[in-house]
Amino acid sequence: MKLSEIFERKKTTVSFEVFPPKPNLPFDSVFECIGELCSYHPDYMSVTYGAGGSTRGRTFDLAQMIKTKYHVEPLVHITGVKLDEAQLDELLNDIEIRGLENILALRGDVPQDGTIADLRFHASDIVKIIKKRGDRFFVAVAACPEMHPESKTLEDDLKYIKLKLDCGAGLIVTQMCFDNDLICRFRDRLHAIGVTQPIDVGIMPVFAAKQVGRISSMCGATIPAGLIAIMEKYGSDAEAMEQAGIQFAADQVTGLIEEGFHGIHIYTMNRPKLAKGILDLTGLLAR
Ligand code: FAD
């Protein structure tokens, strides 16, 4: 099923991001966690694609398993890193043969062992290549509410997000952002330039104080004073910190739904307890 069908039917969607096991771990090491996450009935589950394509086969295997075993619709992430157009086409053939219908099209980042030459495509180019197959796939794209760290200006950032949508993408999935005011401003700016596609807001539950520095340096997300206060208060007590992080994320979700956001996309980090905690506190588990 294409995700567009789900968005047409549902007022509020809840989705999860999961990642496949690292190549050195057995594939079945994620089965328990995936089974548990699927039991919370997400509207779809997105499956990440390792930097530089390192987990490619496992990304698609896991997506297929989610679809066939648990009947949850998967959204497979792909990047164009280290690929040319013919190789991207092969990748799409693989996805098509497996019966997967939804793709999150990403540029990707320069891999640790690579150079800028490994990035041949912007995400909009990848959307165009996918759309050469007509409506065979539903395509989603990424965006950062606080602007992509490489964007020179806010205008450029918004212009290139709009370009991806104009090339045929039907959904925006956002980078994590801990400040609802910034997310609302981002949405308003997109609306002002004519974006009408749904926006799924990426929610990252912070379960450990040390996670935050890493997150912030990775994607440039601002850490609001409220979250800093939580880390200072609970940072040395793992269980209390996890609970406070879940509560913070749940409050964010409640605020976003009140603001009329259509989709909540939880970065589960393959930890069902975090997703369940947020759904419990927001009443979304019983939706
Ligand atoms: P683009 O949309 O291509 O944008 C990248 C930069 O280039 C931006 O500054 C943009 O403004 C600029 N730009 C875009 N088009 C043009 C143009 N035509 N001319 C000039 N400049 C342009 N990475 C992975 O490796 N695997 C994953 O599974 C993965 N999942 C992700 C999921 C989400 C929800 C998000 C938000 C990110 C994910 N990433 C993943 C990270 C992503 O690959 C990086 O954020 C990457 O730096 C940018 O990808 P993009 O698709 O947003 O790129």
Side-chain angles (χ1 to χ4, degrees):
M1 188 202 309
K2 303 238 170 37
L3 297 191
S4 46
E5 289 181 40
I6 298 172
F7 293 120
E8 274 158 27
R9 256 190 297 118
K10 291 228 168 165
K11 190 162 171 277
T12 310
T13 61
V14 175
S15 54
F16 297 154
E17 180 190 273
V18 295
F19 51 81
K22 298 226 159 53
N24 60 333
L25 292 173
F27 189 63
D28 62 9
S29 60
V30 292
F31 283 11
E32 198 178 325
C33 121
I34 298 297
E36 194 172 338
L37 283 167
C38 288
S39 75
Y40 308 146
H41 307 295
D43 291 297
Y44 72 88
M45 262 159 85
S46 86
V47 187
T48 66
Y49 182 92
S54 53
T55 64
R56 165 180 167 168
R58 287 191 155 195
T59 297
F60 302 162
D61 288 345
L62 185 57
Q64 243 181 324
M65 187 185 99
I66 288 170
K67 186 176 174 96
T68 54
K69 184 166 180 197
Y70 296 106
H71 311 290
V72 172
E73 206 47 54
L75 170 69
V76 282
H77 298 203
I78 63 166
T79 75
V81 176
K82 290 187 171 179
L83 302 179
D84 59 24
E85 185 162 347
Q87 290 166 321
L88 251 178
D89 254 325
E90 264 174 48
L91 192 79
L92 296 178
N93 286 341
D94 190 4
I95 297 174
E96 188 164 347
I97 287 163
R98 290 166 182 262
L100 302 169
E101 295 180 86
N102 303 289
I103 299 177
L104 178 61
L106 299 147
R107 181 198 69 176
D109 291 307
V110 176
Q112 272 180 344
D113 61 344
T115 68
I116 191 78
D118 292 322
L119 304 183
R120 289 196 184 89
F121 306 108
H122 290 294
S124 52
D125 303 319
I126 301 174
V127 177
K128 273 190 222 158
I129 292 170
I130 299 172
K131 282 292 162 185
K132 282 186 185 168
R133 298 177 184 230
D135 285 332
R136 175 64 193 80
F137 295 111
F138 175 83
V139 186
V141 289
C144 302
E146 298 182 65
M147 193 167 101
H148 189 279
E150 291 168 38
S151 292
K152 292 194 182 66
T153 64
L154 183 61
E155 286 69 32
D156 268 2
D157 193 71
L158 295 169
K159 178 174 83 182
Y160 291 125
I161 294 170
K162 175 94 166 39
L163 177 64
K164 299 194 263 197
L165 299 163
D166 290 345
C167 289
L171 168 70
I172 296 171
V173 184
T174 78
Q175 184 57 275
M176 67 195 78
C177 176
F178 300 102
D179 183 332
N180 283 4
D181 288 342
L182 296 179
I183 298 168
C184 290
R185 223 175 295 162
F186 172 68
R187 177 210 35 204
D188 295 345
R189 286 183 177 128
L190 288 174
H191 286 175
I193 58 166
V195 169
T196 54
Q197 287 83 350
I199 303 169
D200 273 5
V201 183
I203 295 291
M204 171 66 85
V206 173
F207 63 90
K210 66 175 188 307
Q211 193 193 345
V212 167
R214 211 178 57 235
I215 291 170
S216 188
S217 66
M218 248 167 50
C219 68
T222 306
I223 311 302
L227 191 52
I228 293 174
I230 286 173
M231 290 184 307
E232 284 170 356
K233 188 165 178 195
Y234 301 109
S236 54
D237 178 341
E239 208 164 305
M241 179 64 225
E242 183 181 78
Q243 204 42 49
I246 290 171
Q247 183 68 60
F248 185 90
D251 291 344
Q252 242 198 304
V253 169
T254 303
L256 291 166
I257 290 174
E258 279 168 12
E259 271 292 334
F261 277 90
H262 187 275
I264 301 296
H265 187 65
I266 301 176
Y267 292 108
T268 71
M269 291 164 287
N270 287 12
R271 292 169 181 257
K273 188 178 173 192
L274 301 178
K276 181 168 187 298
I278 296 171
L279 298 184
D280 269 337
L281 288 172
T282 52
L284 288 169
L285 193 58
R287 78 194 186 289

